[in-house]
Amino acid sequence: MTGCSWLVGLGLRTSCGRLVHHFSVVDGMADPGQARQAALERANDPSERAVHGTLRLDDGCVEMRRMSRDLPGAWRLSVPSPRTA
Protein backbone atom coordinates (compact mmCIF):
# COMPACT_ATOMS: atom_id res chain seq x y z
CA MET A 1 0.00 0.00 0.00
CA THR A 2 1.30 3.46 -0.84
CA GLY A 3 1.17 6.34 1.60
CA CYS A 4 -1.92 8.46 1.93
CA SER A 5 -3.06 11.54 3.81
CA TRP A 6 -4.55 11.51 7.30
CA LEU A 7 -6.32 14.16 9.35
CA VAL A 8 -5.12 13.62 12.91
CA GLY A 9 -6.86 15.31 15.83
CA LEU A 10 -4.81 15.55 19.01
CA GLY A 11 -6.14 16.48 22.41
CA LEU A 12 -4.42 19.30 24.27
CA ARG A 13 -5.27 20.15 27.87
CA THR A 14 -5.39 23.60 29.39
CA SER A 15 -3.99 24.22 32.87
CA CYS A 16 -7.51 23.73 34.30
CA GLY A 17 -7.95 20.42 32.43
CA ARG A 18 -10.20 21.60 29.58
CA LEU A 19 -9.72 19.57 26.38
CA VAL A 20 -8.85 21.49 23.20
CA HIS A 21 -8.56 19.72 19.84
CA HIS A 22 -5.75 20.47 17.41
CA PHE A 23 -5.94 18.96 13.92
CA SER A 24 -3.11 18.47 11.47
CA VAL A 25 -2.65 16.74 8.13
CA VAL A 26 -0.04 13.99 7.93
CA ASP A 27 0.94 12.88 4.41
CA GLY A 28 2.62 9.77 3.08
CA MET A 29 1.75 7.28 5.83
CA ALA A 30 0.54 3.79 4.95
CA ASP A 31 -1.55 3.19 8.06
CA PRO A 32 -3.20 5.10 10.90
CA GLY A 33 -0.61 3.98 13.45
CA GLN A 34 2.20 5.59 11.46
CA ALA A 35 0.16 8.77 10.98
CA ARG A 36 -0.64 8.92 14.71
CA GLN A 37 3.03 8.53 15.63
CA ALA A 38 4.10 11.20 13.13
CA ALA A 39 1.47 13.64 14.48
CA LEU A 40 2.56 13.01 18.08
CA GLU A 41 6.23 13.55 17.15
CA ARG A 42 5.30 16.78 15.37
CA ALA A 43 3.27 17.96 18.38
CA ASN A 44 6.23 17.28 20.69
CA ASP A 45 8.67 19.28 18.55
CA PRO A 46 9.96 22.28 20.57
CA SER A 47 8.82 24.82 17.97
CA GLU A 48 5.31 23.33 17.91
CA ARG A 49 5.17 23.19 21.71
CA ALA A 50 6.11 26.87 21.83
CA VAL A 51 3.08 27.69 19.65
CA HIS A 52 0.73 25.87 22.04
CA GLY A 53 2.14 27.62 25.11
CA THR A 54 0.82 26.15 28.33
CA LEU A 55 -1.36 23.52 26.63
CA ARG A 56 -0.12 20.01 27.32
CA LEU A 57 -0.50 17.08 24.96
CA ASP A 58 -2.94 14.33 25.95
CA ASP A 59 -1.68 11.51 23.72
CA GLY A 60 -4.57 9.30 24.82
CA CYS A 61 -7.03 11.56 22.99
CA VAL A 62 -6.44 11.06 19.27
CA GLU A 63 -8.91 11.06 16.35
CA MET A 64 -7.90 9.65 12.96
CA ARG A 65 -9.56 10.25 9.58
CA ARG A 66 -8.23 9.07 6.24
CA MET A 67 -8.31 11.77 3.57
CA SER A 68 -9.04 10.98 -0.08
CA ARG A 69 -10.15 12.80 -3.20
CA ASP A 70 -13.12 11.89 -5.33
CA LEU A 71 -13.03 12.04 -9.16
CA PRO A 72 -13.83 15.77 -9.38
CA GLY A 73 -11.05 16.42 -6.83
CA ALA A 74 -13.07 17.23 -3.70
CA TRP A 75 -11.57 16.05 -0.41
CA ARG A 76 -13.43 13.36 1.52
CA LEU A 77 -12.84 12.23 5.10
CA SER A 78 -13.42 8.75 6.43
CA VAL A 79 -15.61 8.18 9.44
CA PRO A 80 -13.65 9.29 12.52
CA SER A 81 -12.06 6.72 14.73
CA PRO A 82 -13.48 6.65 18.23
CA ARG A 83 -11.87 9.34 20.36
CA THR A 84 -10.47 8.38 23.68
CA ALA A 85 -10.23 10.84 26.50
Side-chain angles (χ1 to χ4, degrees), residues 10-70:
L10 299 176
L12 301 171
R13 298 262 178 201
T14 65
S15 58
C16 64
R18 182 174 178 223
L19 184 63
V20 178
H21 299 287
H22 172 76
F23 290 87
S24 60
V25 174
V26 178
D27 289 318
M29 299 296 159
D31 64 61
Q34 290 177 339
R36 180 183 190 275
Q37 185 62 36
L40 289 171
E41 289 173 8
R42 184 184 299 171
N44 278 315
D45 182 84
S47 61
E48 186 72 17
R49 289 174 62 190
V51 171
H52 296 299
T54 61
L55 298 177
R56 67 186 191 287
L57 181 64
D58 181 346
D59 62 358
C61 185
V62 178
E63 177 184 321
M64 304 291 303
R65 289 184 182 222
R66 186 173 180 172
M67 299 174 62
S68 60
R69 286 188 185 253
D70 61 16

